[in-house]
Amino acid sequence: MKCVFVTVGTTSFDDLIACVSAPDSLQKIESLGYNRLILQIGRGTVVPEPFSTESFTLDVYRYKDSLKEDIQKADLVISHAGKGAGSCLETLEKGKPLVVVINEKLMNNHQLELAKQLHKEGHLFYCTCSTLPGLLQSMDLSTLKCYPPGQPEKFSAFLDKVVGLQK
C-alpha cells in the first residue's frame, strides 16, 4: 500500500489540509499510485471526513506522541516547514521523499529560506498550497538526494544562521 503522510505539526495549516483533501487532489494522489493518505491536522479547523473505498483510504488525526511510525510507513511526506523544522529533519533522516509546503500567511518566518536551501542541495521539493497540485504531477522523486544522517549540529547551525542567531 503506497502512502502519503501530510503533517502540520502542533500548529494549524488549514490551507494545506484543505488543498490535499480536495477531491481533485485526492484524485491526483490516487492517479500517482498512492492508495492511502494520512493527515495529521494539528489544531486546525479544517477536519476532513475519513473514508475508505476499495482503492483509497483517508485517515485523519490531530496529534500523536510521535510521528515516527507514520513517517516510516510513508512513501511520500508532505510537511509544513515548521518553526523547529523537526518533522522535516526527521523525514530527511529516514530517507523519505519530502515536499515542504510554505505557509504564505505567516509573516517574518524563515520557512522559505530553509526550504530553498534544502531544495538547492537536492534533498526536497518545496511549494505553496497553490502550486502543490502541479508539483505533485511534475516532480521526479528519483532526483532527490539522501540527506546525510547523523549531522544534527550542521542542521542546527544552518537554522541558527537562517533565523539570525548566528552570523
Side-chain angles (χ1 to χ4, degrees), residues 15-51:
D15 289 352
L16 174 57
I17 298 303
C19 175
V20 295
S21 62
D24 56 331
S25 292
L26 294 176
Q27 239 174 352
K28 184 163 292 188
I29 289 167
E30 192 173 359
S31 76
L32 293 169
Y34 298 99
N35 43 23
R36 184 167 186 211
L37 175 62
I38 302 171
L39 302 178
Q40 183 270 315
I41 63 169
R43 56 182 170 84
T45 56
V46 173
V47 185
E49 194 63 41
F51 71 86

Short mmCIF file of all heavy atoms in Angstrom, two decimals, residues 15-51:
data_model
loop_
_atom_site.label_atom_id
_atom_site.label_comp_id
_atom_site.label_asym_id
_atom_site.label_seq_id
_atom_site.Cartn_x
_atom_site.Cartn_y
_atom_site.Cartn_z
N ASP A 15 -5.02 25.73 5.12
CA ASP A 15 -4.92 25.80 3.66
C ASP A 15 -4.31 24.51 3.09
O ASP A 15 -4.76 24.01 2.06
CB ASP A 15 -4.09 27.00 3.21
CG ASP A 15 -4.81 28.33 3.43
OD1 ASP A 15 -6.01 28.30 3.79
OD2 ASP A 15 -4.17 29.39 3.26
N LEU A 16 -3.28 24.00 3.76
CA LEU A 16 -2.64 22.77 3.29
C LEU A 16 -3.60 21.58 3.40
O LEU A 16 -3.75 20.80 2.45
CB LEU A 16 -1.35 22.49 4.08
CG LEU A 16 -0.66 21.16 3.79
CD1 LEU A 16 -0.32 21.01 2.30
CD2 LEU A 16 0.59 21.01 4.64
N ILE A 17 -4.27 21.46 4.54
CA ILE A 17 -5.20 20.34 4.74
C ILE A 17 -6.34 20.43 3.74
O ILE A 17 -6.73 19.42 3.13
CB ILE A 17 -5.72 20.31 6.20
CG1 ILE A 17 -4.54 20.10 7.18
CG2 ILE A 17 -6.77 19.23 6.38
CD1 ILE A 17 -3.70 18.85 6.96
N ALA A 18 -6.88 21.63 3.52
CA ALA A 18 -7.97 21.81 2.55
C ALA A 18 -7.48 21.46 1.14
O ALA A 18 -8.20 20.82 0.37
CB ALA A 18 -8.50 23.24 2.60
N CYS A 19 -6.26 21.87 0.83
CA CYS A 19 -5.70 21.62 -0.50
C CYS A 19 -5.53 20.13 -0.77
O CYS A 19 -5.99 19.63 -1.80
CB CYS A 19 -4.37 22.36 -0.63
SG CYS A 19 -3.49 22.03 -2.16
N VAL A 20 -4.89 19.40 0.13
CA VAL A 20 -4.62 17.98 -0.13
C VAL A 20 -5.87 17.10 -0.01
O VAL A 20 -5.90 16.02 -0.59
CB VAL A 20 -3.49 17.37 0.75
CG1 VAL A 20 -2.17 18.01 0.45
CG2 VAL A 20 -3.81 17.44 2.21
N SER A 21 -6.88 17.58 0.71
CA SER A 21 -8.09 16.76 0.86
C SER A 21 -9.18 17.13 -0.13
O SER A 21 -10.25 16.52 -0.13
CB SER A 21 -8.62 16.85 2.30
OG SER A 21 -8.99 18.19 2.61
N ALA A 22 -8.92 18.12 -0.99
CA ALA A 22 -9.89 18.49 -2.02
C ALA A 22 -10.05 17.31 -2.99
O ALA A 22 -9.07 16.60 -3.26
CB ALA A 22 -9.42 19.73 -2.76
N PRO A 23 -11.24 17.10 -3.52
CA PRO A 23 -11.47 15.95 -4.42
C PRO A 23 -10.48 15.85 -5.58
O PRO A 23 -10.00 14.75 -5.87
CB PRO A 23 -12.90 16.19 -4.92
CG PRO A 23 -13.56 16.96 -3.82
CD PRO A 23 -12.48 17.84 -3.26
N ASP A 24 -10.12 16.97 -6.21
CA ASP A 24 -9.17 16.89 -7.33
C ASP A 24 -7.78 16.48 -6.86
O ASP A 24 -7.07 15.75 -7.55
CB ASP A 24 -9.13 18.20 -8.14
CG ASP A 24 -8.80 19.42 -7.30
OD1 ASP A 24 -9.12 19.42 -6.10
OD2 ASP A 24 -8.22 20.38 -7.85
N SER A 25 -7.38 16.91 -5.65
CA SER A 25 -6.08 16.49 -5.10
C SER A 25 -6.09 15.00 -4.77
O SER A 25 -5.12 14.29 -5.03
CB SER A 25 -5.72 17.28 -3.85
OG SER A 25 -5.46 18.62 -4.16
N LEU A 26 -7.19 14.54 -4.17
CA LEU A 26 -7.29 13.11 -3.83
C LEU A 26 -7.20 12.27 -5.10
O LEU A 26 -6.51 11.24 -5.12
CB LEU A 26 -8.60 12.82 -3.09
CG LEU A 26 -8.75 13.45 -1.70
CD1 LEU A 26 -10.13 13.16 -1.14
CD2 LEU A 26 -7.67 12.95 -0.76
N GLN A 27 -7.86 12.73 -6.16
CA GLN A 27 -7.80 12.03 -7.44
C GLN A 27 -6.37 12.00 -7.99
O GLN A 27 -5.90 10.97 -8.46
CB GLN A 27 -8.71 12.74 -8.46
CG GLN A 27 -9.77 11.87 -9.01
CD GLN A 27 -10.73 12.65 -9.89
OE1 GLN A 27 -10.71 13.87 -9.97
NE2 GLN A 27 -11.59 11.92 -10.55
N LYS A 28 -5.70 13.15 -7.89
CA LYS A 28 -4.32 13.25 -8.39
C LYS A 28 -3.40 12.31 -7.61
O LYS A 28 -2.59 11.59 -8.18
CB LYS A 28 -3.83 14.69 -8.29
CG LYS A 28 -2.44 14.87 -8.89
CD LYS A 28 -2.16 16.32 -9.15
CE LYS A 28 -3.06 16.79 -10.25
NZ LYS A 28 -2.87 18.06 -10.80
N ILE A 29 -3.55 12.31 -6.28
CA ILE A 29 -2.72 11.45 -5.42
C ILE A 29 -2.95 9.98 -5.78
O ILE A 29 -2.01 9.21 -5.93
CB ILE A 29 -3.02 11.75 -3.93
CG1 ILE A 29 -2.45 13.12 -3.55
CG2 ILE A 29 -2.45 10.66 -3.03
CD1 ILE A 29 -2.93 13.66 -2.22
N GLU A 30 -4.21 9.62 -5.98
CA GLU A 30 -4.53 8.24 -6.35
C GLU A 30 -3.98 7.90 -7.74
O GLU A 30 -3.45 6.82 -7.96
CB GLU A 30 -6.04 8.01 -6.30
CG GLU A 30 -6.40 6.55 -6.39
CD GLU A 30 -7.88 6.26 -6.17
OE1 GLU A 30 -8.67 7.19 -5.92
OE2 GLU A 30 -8.24 5.07 -6.25
N SER A 31 -4.06 8.86 -8.67
CA SER A 31 -3.57 8.60 -10.03
C SER A 31 -2.05 8.43 -10.07
O SER A 31 -1.51 7.84 -11.00
CB SER A 31 -3.99 9.73 -10.98
OG SER A 31 -3.19 10.88 -10.78
N LEU A 32 -1.36 8.93 -9.04
CA LEU A 32 0.09 8.77 -8.95
C LEU A 32 0.47 7.44 -8.31
O LEU A 32 1.65 7.16 -8.09
CB LEU A 32 0.71 9.93 -8.16
CG LEU A 32 0.62 11.30 -8.85
CD1 LEU A 32 1.00 12.41 -7.89
CD2 LEU A 32 1.49 11.33 -10.10
N GLY A 33 -0.53 6.62 -8.00
CA GLY A 33 -0.26 5.28 -7.48
C GLY A 33 -0.34 5.14 -5.98
O GLY A 33 -0.06 4.08 -5.42
N TYR A 34 -0.73 6.21 -5.28
CA TYR A 34 -0.87 6.14 -3.83
C TYR A 34 -2.30 5.70 -3.51
O TYR A 34 -3.24 6.12 -4.17
CB TYR A 34 -0.59 7.50 -3.19
CG TYR A 34 0.82 7.97 -3.43
CD1 TYR A 34 1.10 8.90 -4.43
CD2 TYR A 34 1.89 7.49 -2.68
CE1 TYR A 34 2.39 9.33 -4.68
CE2 TYR A 34 3.19 7.91 -2.91
CZ TYR A 34 3.43 8.83 -3.91
OH TYR A 34 4.71 9.25 -4.16
N ASN A 35 -2.44 4.86 -2.48
CA ASN A 35 -3.78 4.42 -2.12
C ASN A 35 -4.13 4.70 -0.66
O ASN A 35 -5.14 4.24 -0.15
CB ASN A 35 -4.01 2.94 -2.46
CG ASN A 35 -2.83 2.08 -2.09
OD1 ASN A 35 -2.05 2.46 -1.22
ND2 ASN A 35 -2.69 0.96 -2.74
N ARG A 36 -3.27 5.49 0.01
CA ARG A 36 -3.58 5.89 1.38
C ARG A 36 -3.03 7.29 1.62
O ARG A 36 -1.91 7.60 1.21
CB ARG A 36 -2.95 4.92 2.37
CG ARG A 36 -3.33 5.23 3.80
CD ARG A 36 -2.97 4.11 4.74
NE ARG A 36 -3.49 4.40 6.07
CZ ARG A 36 -2.91 3.99 7.18
NH1 ARG A 36 -1.83 3.25 7.12
NH2 ARG A 36 -3.42 4.30 8.35
N LEU A 37 -3.84 8.12 2.27
CA LEU A 37 -3.44 9.46 2.66
C LEU A 37 -3.71 9.61 4.14
O LEU A 37 -4.84 9.38 4.59
CB LEU A 37 -4.23 10.51 1.85
CG LEU A 37 -4.01 11.98 2.20
CD1 LEU A 37 -2.57 12.41 1.95
CD2 LEU A 37 -4.97 12.86 1.38
N ILE A 38 -2.67 9.95 4.89
CA ILE A 38 -2.81 10.17 6.33
C ILE A 38 -2.59 11.66 6.58
O ILE A 38 -1.55 12.21 6.20
CB ILE A 38 -1.78 9.36 7.15
CG1 ILE A 38 -1.91 7.87 6.85
CG2 ILE A 38 -1.94 9.64 8.64
CD1 ILE A 38 -0.78 7.02 7.46
N LEU A 39 -3.58 12.31 7.21
CA LEU A 39 -3.48 13.73 7.51
C LEU A 39 -3.33 13.94 9.01
O LEU A 39 -4.20 13.54 9.78
CB LEU A 39 -4.74 14.48 7.03
CG LEU A 39 -5.11 14.38 5.56
CD1 LEU A 39 -6.41 15.14 5.30
CD2 LEU A 39 -3.99 14.94 4.70
N GLN A 40 -2.25 14.57 9.42
CA GLN A 40 -2.05 14.98 10.81
C GLN A 40 -2.36 16.47 10.80
O GLN A 40 -1.63 17.26 10.23
CB GLN A 40 -0.62 14.68 11.25
CG GLN A 40 -0.33 15.00 12.71
CD GLN A 40 0.16 16.42 12.92
OE1 GLN A 40 1.01 16.90 12.20
NE2 GLN A 40 -0.38 17.09 13.91
N ILE A 41 -3.51 16.86 11.40
CA ILE A 41 -4.05 18.21 11.20
C ILE A 41 -3.77 19.19 12.34
O ILE A 41 -4.19 20.34 12.29
CB ILE A 41 -5.56 18.16 10.92
CG1 ILE A 41 -6.32 17.58 12.11
CG2 ILE A 41 -5.84 17.38 9.64
CD1 ILE A 41 -7.83 17.75 12.01
N GLY A 42 -3.07 18.74 13.40
CA GLY A 42 -2.74 19.67 14.49
C GLY A 42 -3.98 20.32 15.07
O GLY A 42 -5.00 19.69 15.26
N ARG A 43 -3.90 21.63 15.31
CA ARG A 43 -5.04 22.33 15.90
C ARG A 43 -5.90 23.03 14.85
O ARG A 43 -6.63 23.98 15.15
CB ARG A 43 -4.59 23.29 16.99
CG ARG A 43 -3.58 24.32 16.57
CD ARG A 43 -3.17 25.18 17.77
NE ARG A 43 -2.03 26.01 17.44
CZ ARG A 43 -2.12 27.18 16.83
NH1 ARG A 43 -3.27 27.67 16.48
NH2 ARG A 43 -1.01 27.87 16.56
N GLY A 44 -5.83 22.55 13.62
CA GLY A 44 -6.58 23.16 12.54
C GLY A 44 -8.09 23.04 12.68
O GLY A 44 -8.60 22.20 13.42
N THR A 45 -8.81 23.89 11.94
CA THR A 45 -10.26 23.86 11.96
C THR A 45 -10.82 23.10 10.75
O THR A 45 -12.00 22.78 10.72
CB THR A 45 -10.85 25.29 11.97
OG1 THR A 45 -10.34 26.00 10.85
CG2 THR A 45 -10.47 26.02 13.25
N VAL A 46 -9.98 22.83 9.76
CA VAL A 46 -10.39 22.01 8.62
C VAL A 46 -10.17 20.55 9.02
O VAL A 46 -9.03 20.14 9.26
CB VAL A 46 -9.60 22.36 7.35
CG1 VAL A 46 -9.92 21.39 6.23
CG2 VAL A 46 -9.89 23.79 6.91
N VAL A 47 -11.27 19.80 9.13
CA VAL A 47 -11.20 18.41 9.57
C VAL A 47 -11.90 17.54 8.53
O VAL A 47 -13.11 17.31 8.62
CB VAL A 47 -11.86 18.22 10.96
CG1 VAL A 47 -11.66 16.79 11.46
CG2 VAL A 47 -11.32 19.23 11.97
N PRO A 48 -11.15 17.05 7.55
CA PRO A 48 -11.77 16.21 6.51
C PRO A 48 -12.36 14.93 7.12
O PRO A 48 -11.86 14.41 8.12
CB PRO A 48 -10.61 15.87 5.58
CG PRO A 48 -9.58 16.91 5.86
CD PRO A 48 -9.73 17.26 7.31
N GLU A 49 -13.40 14.44 6.50
CA GLU A 49 -14.05 13.21 6.94
C GLU A 49 -13.24 12.01 6.46
O GLU A 49 -13.01 11.85 5.27
CB GLU A 49 -15.46 13.16 6.33
CG GLU A 49 -16.37 12.13 6.95
CD GLU A 49 -16.67 12.38 8.42
OE1 GLU A 49 -16.88 13.53 8.82
OE2 GLU A 49 -16.67 11.37 9.17
N PRO A 50 -12.75 11.18 7.38
CA PRO A 50 -12.02 9.97 6.96
C PRO A 50 -12.94 9.07 6.14
O PRO A 50 -14.15 9.05 6.37
CB PRO A 50 -11.64 9.30 8.27
CG PRO A 50 -11.80 10.34 9.33
CD PRO A 50 -12.86 11.27 8.84
N PHE A 51 -12.37 8.33 5.20
CA PHE A 51 -13.16 7.38 4.42
C PHE A 51 -12.26 6.28 3.91
O PHE A 51 -11.04 6.41 3.90
CB PHE A 51 -13.88 8.08 3.25
CG PHE A 51 -12.96 8.53 2.15
CD1 PHE A 51 -12.59 7.67 1.12
CD2 PHE A 51 -12.48 9.83 2.14
CE1 PHE A 51 -11.73 8.10 0.10
CE2 PHE A 51 -11.63 10.27 1.12
CZ PHE A 51 -11.26 9.40 0.10
#
